């Protein structure tokens, strides 16, 4: 008996392609941001900025105020800055988190103390509303952009204007500093252009990028070699060091892209790398990986997205909507930010000494994995056969088919039917059945004959059953009902196939015309 068991090969269950695309590690990472903490603001959330120092507080600009939220508890308002005569714009932290700068509808750029909320400086040279304000990397200067088509460089210490940057022909709505040099800045305007400035060279732009649509946002990649611009329903990636050559245009949105953020540590642990996040008026926030610039994840929000931010440790994802909703989602496993100022260092774990006086000393090595060069001795284990395998080994084909049907696993039934056909025992397995023996088989045909992976096999089985039991049709009402159900299911599938064939015929000339460069759809 053992010799026969050793010679018998178990039935190999056929592996089919998955029915749907399995979720990737990237998708799981972004889905692990918990249910959002939602707070309603007094107006549209126009800008979001995270402090770069632990605990990574959050500055939210909405209506006539800049609200500061605690990074430890994002549902807690730590301070509210309300020193604005009209709508506030672009509230941003300084790198050390001590100061906040913001523009306003009245054109005044103000610098606040983040703790006391007192006004430290006011810059009043702009003639129209100031939509963008950023601190320089040296912490001593501020760059502002206004609807008066100018950008200005301010000295915070003296409160004076150092440089006026002229060259745009429409509203200046975006600005970003290069991570490679504190003197290199990019400004984006509604004149469809992004200009690069070297502040050491005066008020003449050194490079000009034509985005092709009003520019809503601009950002540098972490290396500083590339830049990305947002405007219209697309993003453009530029090679800054290579003469501002256009590398990629990303048409992944249906409406205007309003905001961009780049994170150096986002993504799962197995593939942590820089990621780009972009929000749009179509309500989507999409995440791009920066090798091939493909979308790795997308989230849908109930209103147009105006602003977004991701904390440096990737713990908090904040999204601001046009209806005044602020959505903050928290990840359970924040990343470790190397060299982040103020970040508490983890305590060293206690390492227990392994000595002969402990029990673990005598069981050491039992859970270790063998190295690739180790010689392995495998223990011979007796094969455990399923009921259909035992019957198949005894050439009881009909009983083996009944046993496979009892598992209610279509891939097992399909594998057994293919094995019986290969052995020439399919006819014997189907013949000689009474009403009780036919009902499970017919129920299986009715349920799975419409699935493409089983259609061909089960259609052949159905033809064999009709040939075998045609003379006794009508003898059992229960069996006849199953025959009618099988007929209806096949007729339904044929009708669907006919409709799909008509649809394919209608689409074929349209697709051919679009590929040939003819009139668009």
């Amino acid at each position: 008996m053992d010799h026969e068991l050793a010679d018998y090969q178990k039935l190999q269950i056929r592996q089919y392609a998955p029915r749907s695309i399995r979720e990737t590690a990237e998708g799981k990472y972004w889905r692990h941001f918990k249910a959002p903490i939602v707070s309603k603001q007094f107006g549209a959330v126009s800008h979001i900025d995270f402090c770069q120092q632990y605990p990574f507080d959050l500055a939210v600009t909405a209506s006539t105020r800049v609200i500061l939220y605690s990074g430890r508890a994002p549902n807690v308002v730590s301070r509210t800055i309300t020193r604005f005569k009209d709508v506030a714009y672009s509230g941003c932290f300084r790198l050390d988190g001590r100061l906040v700068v913001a523009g306003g509808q009245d054109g005044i750029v103000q610098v606040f103390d983040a703790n006391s909320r007192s006004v430290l400086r006011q810059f009043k040279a702009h003639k129209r509303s100031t939509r963008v304000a950023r601190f320089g990397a040296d912490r001593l200067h501020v760059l502002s952009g206004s609807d008066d088509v100018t950008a200005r460089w301010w000295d915070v210490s003296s409160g004076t204007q150092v440089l006026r940057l002229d060259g745009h022909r429409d509203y200046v709505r975006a600005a970003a500093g290069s991570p490679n040099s504190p003197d290199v800045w990019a400004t984006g305007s509604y004149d469809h252009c992004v200009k690069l400035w070297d502040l050491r060279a005066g008020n003449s732009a050194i490079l000009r990028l034509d985005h092709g649509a009003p520019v809503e946002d601009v950002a540098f990649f972490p290396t500083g070699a590339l830049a990305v611009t947002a405007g219209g329903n697309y993003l453009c990636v530029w090679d800054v060091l290579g003469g501002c050559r256009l590398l990629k245009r990303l048409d992944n949105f249906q409406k205007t892209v309003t905001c961009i953020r780049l994170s150096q540590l986002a993504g799962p642990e197995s593939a942590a790398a820089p990621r780009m996040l972009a929000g749009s008026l179509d309500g989507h926030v999409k995440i791009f990986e920066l090798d091939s610039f493909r979308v790795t994840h997308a989230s849908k929000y109930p209103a147009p997205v105006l602003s977004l931010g991701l904390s440096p440790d990737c713990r908090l994802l904040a999204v601001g909507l046009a209806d005044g909703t602020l959505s903050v989602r928290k990840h359970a496993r924040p990343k470790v930010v190397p060299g982040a100022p103020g970040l508490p260092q983890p305590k060293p774990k206690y390492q227990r000494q392994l000595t002969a006086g402990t029990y673990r000393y005598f069981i050491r090595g039992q859970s270790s994995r063998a190295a690739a060069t180790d010689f392995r001795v495998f223990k011979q284990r007796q094969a455990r056969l399923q009921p259909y395998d035992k019957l198949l080994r005894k050439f009881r084909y009909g009983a083996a088919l009944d046993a496979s049907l009892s598992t209610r696993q279509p891939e097992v039934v399909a594998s057994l039917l293919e094995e019986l056909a290969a052995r020439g025992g399919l006819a014997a397995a189907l013949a000689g059945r009474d009403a009780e023996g036919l009902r499970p088989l017919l129920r299986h045909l009715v349920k799975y004959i419409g699935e493409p992976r089983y259609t061909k096999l089960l259609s052949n089985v159905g033809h064999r059953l009709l040939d075998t039991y045609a003379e006794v049709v009508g003898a059992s009402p229960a069996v006849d009902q199953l025959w009618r159900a099988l007929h209806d299911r096949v007729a339904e599938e044929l009708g669907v196939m006919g409709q799909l064939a008509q649809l394919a015929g209608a689409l074929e000339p349209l697709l051919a015309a679009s590929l040939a460069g003819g009139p668009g759809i």
Side-chain angles (χ1 to χ4, degrees), residues 54-75:
Y54 183 83
F56 311 123
D57 290 341
L58 174 62
V60 176
T61 306
S63 185
T64 59
R65 59 192 65 195
V66 176
I67 306 101
L68 306 183
Y69 288 87
S70 170
R72 295 187 180 92
N75 58 334

Side-chain angles (χ1 to χ4, degrees), residues 205-519:
I206 57 176
L207 288 171
R208 176 180 177 273
L209 312 177
D210 186 3
H211 180 78
V215 179
E216 300 287 349
D217 204 357
V218 61
F220 282 94
F221 280 43
T223 60
L226 304 179
V228 58
T229 56
N233 62 343
Y234 57 89
L235 303 169
C236 288
V237 181
W238 307 87
D239 183 0
V240 177
L241 299 183
C244 290
R245 177 170 54 94
L246 178 63
L247 295 180
K248 192 80 173 179
R249 173 170 162 158
L250 308 175
D251 299 285
N252 298 95
F253 296 91
Q254 301 298 320
K255 294 185 179 180
T256 301
V257 185
T258 55
C259 48
I260 316 167
R261 289 294 181 271
L262 288 108
S263 173
Q264 298 193 46
L265 301 175
E269 295 294 341
S270 59
R275 295 288 191 275
M276 180 171 64
L277 292 79
S280 168
L281 293 181
D282 59 13
H284 283 92
V285 171
K286 297 186 178 182
I287 292 92
F288 298 81
E289 55 89 16
L290 302 186
D291 291 331
S292 60
F293 300 104
R294 63 182 180 88
V295 177
T296 61
H297 187 73
S299 300
K300 182 69 171 71
Y301 288 84
V305 176
L306 296 184
S307 56
L308 63 88
L310 185 64
S311 63
D313 61 351
C314 303
R315 176 173 171 265
L316 299 178
L317 173 61
V319 177
L321 307 182
D323 63 356
T325 300
L326 173 65
S327 170
V328 182
R329 301 171 62 192
K330 185 190 301 183
H331 201 282
R333 296 183 178 180
K335 302 296 181 67
V336 177
V337 183
L343 186 67
Q345 299 298 321
K347 296 181 180 180
K349 295 183 178 180
Y350 171 72
Q351 298 290 337
R352 183 163 32 182
Q353 298 294 329
L354 194 62
T355 63
T358 61
Y359 172 71
R360 295 176 58 85
Y361 178 83
F362 296 97
I363 62 171
R364 66 189 188 280
Q366 291 187 10
S367 60
S368 301
R369 295 184 178 181
T373 57
D374 291 343
F375 180 77
R376 302 185 182 187
V377 179
F378 295 96
K379 181 180 179 181
Q380 295 294 331
R381 296 183 179 181
Q382 185 176 0
R384 299 182 60 181
L385 300 181
Q386 298 293 333
Y388 51 81
D389 273 314
K390 296 178 181 179
L391 296 169
L392 198 61
R393 181 165 60 89
K394 297 177 180 179
F395 304 101
R396 297 175 57 185
Y397 295 148
L401 180 56
D402 293 337
S404 67
L405 290 169
S406 65
T407 64
R408 297 185 179 181
Q409 299 179 18
E411 61 274 8
V412 173
V413 178
S415 300
L416 186 66
L417 289 172
E418 291 176 350
E419 178 68 18
L420 292 175
R423 292 188 179 197
L426 183 57
L430 299 178
R433 291 177 174 268
D434 55 8
E436 292 298 324
L438 277 175
R439 286 167 61 186
L441 186 55
L442 288 175
R443 279 197 294 264
H444 184 83
L445 292 178
V446 171
K447 186 174 183 179
Y448 294 106
I449 197 170
E451 296 197 16
R453 60 181 66 185
Y454 309 123
T455 298
K456 184 176 181 180
L457 176 63
L458 296 184
S459 297
N460 293 332
V461 173
H463 283 301
R464 285 180 175 267
L465 286 175
L466 284 172
D467 293 340
T468 303
Y469 297 98
E471 298 180 355
V472 295
V473 172
S476 172
V479 174
D480 292 344
Q481 184 178 0
L482 289 172
W483 281 116
R484 285 192 293 269
L486 181 59
H487 174 271
D488 295 341
R489 182 64 189 276
V490 172
E492 179 185 356
E493 290 298 322
L494 291 176
V496 172
M497 291 176 64
Q499 294 176 3
L500 292 176
Q502 293 177 4
L503 181 60
L507 289 176
E508 185 174 356
L510 297 176
L511 294 175
S514 64
L515 292 175

Side-chain angles (χ1 to χ4, degrees), residues 12 93 109 114 214 339:
Q12 298 297 319
F93 283 105
V109 180

Side-chain angles (χ1 to χ4, degrees), residues 7-240:
D7 292 341
Y8 175 75
Q9 298 295 327
K10 294 175 60 176
L11 178 66
Q12 298 297 319
I13 307 301
R14 184 174 178 179
Q15 299 295 325
Y16 293 92
R19 297 179 182 272
S20 60
I21 300 175
R22 295 182 179 178
E23 190 174 31
T24 62
E26 184 85 14
K28 290 180 180 178
Y29 172 81
W30 293 104
R31 282 205 320 110
H32 280 174
F33 279 91
K34 296 180 180 179
I37 302 170
V38 177
S39 59
K40 201 70 173 179
Q41 307 299 324
F42 292 95
V45 181
S46 60
H47 193 263
I48 293 175
D49 183 62
F50 276 96
C51 179
Q52 298 300 306
Q53 185 175 16
Y54 183 83
F56 311 123
D57 290 341
L58 174 62
V60 176
T61 306
S63 185
T64 59
R65 59 192 65 195
V66 176
I67 306 101
L68 306 183
Y69 288 87
S70 170
R72 295 187 180 92
N75 58 334
V76 176
V77 177
S78 57
R79 294 167 188 84
T80 301
I81 301 173
T82 58
R83 304 290 184 90
F84 300 94
K85 297 179 180 178
D86 208 327
V87 179
Y89 297 111
S90 189
C92 289
F93 283 105
R94 198 169 70 171
L95 288 178
D96 58 5
R98 295 182 178 180
L99 301 182
V100 174
V101 65
Q105 185 72 27
D106 55 5
I108 301 175
V109 180
Q110 301 186 75
V111 178
F112 304 91
D113 186 296
N115 292 320
S116 65
R117 299 172 295 172
S118 59
V119 179
L120 302 181
R121 290 287 184 271
Q122 287 187 336
F123 308 124
K124 300 182 179 181
H126 285 296
K127 305 302 181 184
R128 302 183 71 175
S129 61
T130 304
R131 295 296 188 101
V132 57
R134 302 285 188 273
F135 273 106
D138 59 2
R139 307 182 186 182
L140 300 176
H141 292 83
V142 167
L143 184 84
S144 61
S146 171
D147 286 356
D148 63 7
V149 307
T150 66
R152 300 173 190 258
W153 184 243
W154 308 91
D155 187 334
V156 177
S157 301
S158 62
T160 59
Q161 176 181 304
V162 179
L163 196 62
R164 169 174 166 164
L165 306 176
D166 296 308
H168 286 294
R169 295 173 297 170
D170 209 334
Y171 304 153
V172 179
R173 293 294 176 88
S178 171
N180 289 340
S181 172
D183 297 307
V184 176
W185 284 81
T187 57
S189 169
Y190 274 15
D191 61 5
H192 301 190
C193 293
V194 173
K195 293 183 179 292
L196 268 68
W197 312 84
D198 189 339
L199 302 179
R200 296 165 295 186
N203 62 350
S204 298
I206 57 176
L207 288 171
R208 176 180 177 273
L209 312 177
D210 186 3
H211 180 78
V215 179
E216 300 287 349
D217 204 357
V218 61
F220 282 94
F221 280 43
T223 60
L226 304 179
V228 58
T229 56
N233 62 343
Y234 57 89
L235 303 169
C236 288
V237 181
W238 307 87
D239 183 0
V240 177

